[in-house]
Each structure stands twice: as C-alpha cells, then as structure tokens.
Amino acid sequence: MAWSSSASHSARIVVEGQDPYSLSDTPVKVHDDGWQIAACPVNGPAVTARGDTVVCLDDLSSGRRSNIEPLTSSSRFTFVEACVLDPIDVEGEFEGVVHLASPASPRLYLMKPIFTLRTGAEGTRNALDFAAANSARFVLASTSEIYGEPLVHPQREDYWGNVNCIGPRSVYDEAKRYAEALTSAYRSAVGTNAGIVRIFNTFGPRMRPDDGRVISNFVAQALHGGPLTVYGDGSQTRSLCYVDDLARGLVAMLDSDAEGPINLGNPVELTVLQIAALVLELVGSASRIVSCPLPQDDPTRRRPDISRAQGLLGWSPRVPVRTGLARTIEWQANELRQNLAS
C-alpha cells in the first residue's frame, strides 16, 4: 500500500543525487501546509516534497553544490556528501527512497563506464536494502535508453527494446536494465514497495553547459555565438520534457503504489534540426548549424507513449517546449553574464 504525504503526515524521504535536475525554476516554496522542497540527482530527475523532510545524498562527481544552496536554509532539507556505491548510513526512519543517482549524459558515462555500471548494480542494491530496512516506498529512475534503437514507435512500456548490449552506450543502458531487474526482484522476493519510471529527455535551468546533451549543447553554443553542432543529418527525433513536469511525475509515482515501468516524458516529437532552429530563434542568434558524424548507437527516434502515466498517475506534461526552452535560455544567459562579470 502506498504512503501519502499530507499536512497531517509529513514523510521523511531519501533522495540520491542532486543535479542537474535540481533544475526546477522554483525549488523552494512556502505553502500553508509547510515547505515544498525540490531535491534531485546527479543525473537524474527532481523530487519535490510537500512539507516532507528530505535527505539528499550525492557525491558531487558531476553535480554542483550551488544547485542546492536555495534549500540549505530549510530545516527540512539535509545534504549528505556520500557515494551511492557505499551502504546508506543515515539515521532515522524514512517512508520514501528515490534512487536517481547515475551519470546520465553520454559524455559523463563514457568517461566513467565502470562507475556507471557499478552505480546501476551496487548503488541500486544499496538503495533497495535501505528501502527494505525502512519498509519504505522505493522509486527507481530508469531511462528511455532501455528501448535502445526502437523498432516500435512511440515507445510503450511493454516493448522490450533493441539494444546493443556491448556497444559504447551499453554501460548506461545495461546498468539501467539491471537496475530494473533488481528492483523487480526485490519487489517479488522481499516485498519491497517498489516502482519504476522510465525518464525521457528532460531539460531546464541549472543544467551544466558542458554535459554534452542536445539542449545544453545548443543553448551554450548559441549564447557564445558559435556554430550549433548537429550529429548526423539532424533528422533524428527527441521528445523534450521540462523539469517541473518531470518533478510532478516523480512525486505522483512516489505517492502511488504503481509498480511500473511507467514512461515519463513529453510525447511532442521534434527533430534535432527543429530543436536547433528553435534555440537559435529564442536566443536571437545568427549562428550557423554544422553537421558532425553520428555517434555509434545514437537512437534515431524517441517518443514516449504516456498512456500509463495518464491512467495510473493522472500525469501528463503541461509546460510547452518553447516555454521551457525560453526559461532555460534565460537562466543560462544570466549565468554567463555573472561569470563574465566575475
């Protein structure tokens, strides 16, 4: 049975990781029922807690401490610098565990292939053990990379995928596949109240400009007046979900008893060239677009079927891509101005 956070019952939640999905435009708000706190993973999505107490674990290997500074003044938020490969050592009882920690951008996980695999294996086991010991609800942040180079479009959760299990991207894909299998095993063998979400491309403020993902690349290049690098001919597609929408989806999953997997993403599908043109328009940049070779096993199509999320969680994205991009560009432009002034 799912636990529910409300004004009458504030839950304690462990969140593994903090960046870049501490991206939410408004990470801390005050409501009548207490604090609403957003905390999220090194490479994984945001989690908001309505009046809940949040303990965020992160090793800062790719995250930035500055992303959680707005939260540190709240007595309901605690940051613990720790590695997911070590057993979780946090005192007290917890009602929720959100496992979001993992290198997520190709640039990062290709730099740390063994660490990425160990995070999916040992890190997930440590998080599951902690959830089981606390009889806590557990949510695994998996990925659309489970589907690989899909032969089914849009991608449904009952599609098993088309993945190169020894290619360069396999260190991330297979880590998440194993994490899903381990989560399912804990649910069936131990009785852990566990759910799995598969996250599609997510973006927003506070992304690292050098993480190598399509939005961070294009925005940084356009703001600097350099050429926008498009891999391949730009006809490959992506479905872009703004971080505030993803945060709502994660909270809905945490509050539910759904097992999943459940896709969380925006079903609006855009080509990479369309995304590049939109960034140039919003930045007001005259930068040109240049073509680079397509990396091995880079997926050519991405679009989630979100019927399960709509039916089981009552969730669908609300923020249009254009609006989310404008907010992201504004934040990154302010960061650039501050860096130049310092």
Side-chain angles (χ1 to χ4, degrees), residues 10 22-23 62 64 79 90 134 155 165 173 181 188 243 266 269-270 289 295 323-324:
S10 294
S22 323
L23 304 170
S62 60
R64 294 182 292 186
F79 174 70
V90 181
N134 282 267
Q155 290 78 60
C165 62
D173 303 352
S188 60
V243 64
N266 189 342
E269 184 179 10
L270 298 171
I289 296 174
T323 302

Side-chain angles (χ1 to χ4, degrees), residues 215-238:
I215 295 300
S216 46
N217 271 357
F218 285 169
V219 171
Q221 291 165 345
L223 288 173
H224 284 88
L228 273 62
T229 53
V230 169
Y231 296 98
D233 62 8
S235 64
Q236 64 269 37
T237 65
R238 297 293 183 264

Side-chain angles (χ1 to χ4, degrees), residues 136-216:
R137 169 68 167 166
F138 177 86
V139 173
L140 170 70
S142 188
T143 174
S144 62
E145 296 305 303
I146 290 287
Y147 303 118
E149 174 60 9
L151 304 177
V152 170
H153 194 78
Q155 290 78 60
R156 303 187 308 267
E157 293 90 344
D158 59 1
Y159 175 52
W160 291 357
N162 176 38
V163 175
N164 178 358
C165 62
I166 59 171
R169 297 173 68 100
S170 67
V171 297
Y172 182 64
D173 303 352
E174 298 303 316
K176 290 296 188 179
R177 282 174 169 256
Y178 178 82
E180 287 199 12
L182 190 62
T183 299
S184 299
Y186 267 71
R187 185 171 55 231
S188 60
V190 182
T192 304
N193 179 7
I196 299 168
V197 294
R198 290 175 179 165
I199 299 171
F200 282 66
N201 296 82
T202 303
F203 72 101
R206 298 182 179 84
M207 295 182 74
R208 287 178 56 147
D210 60 349
D211 76 358
R213 287 183 260 204
V214 62
I215 295 300
S216 46

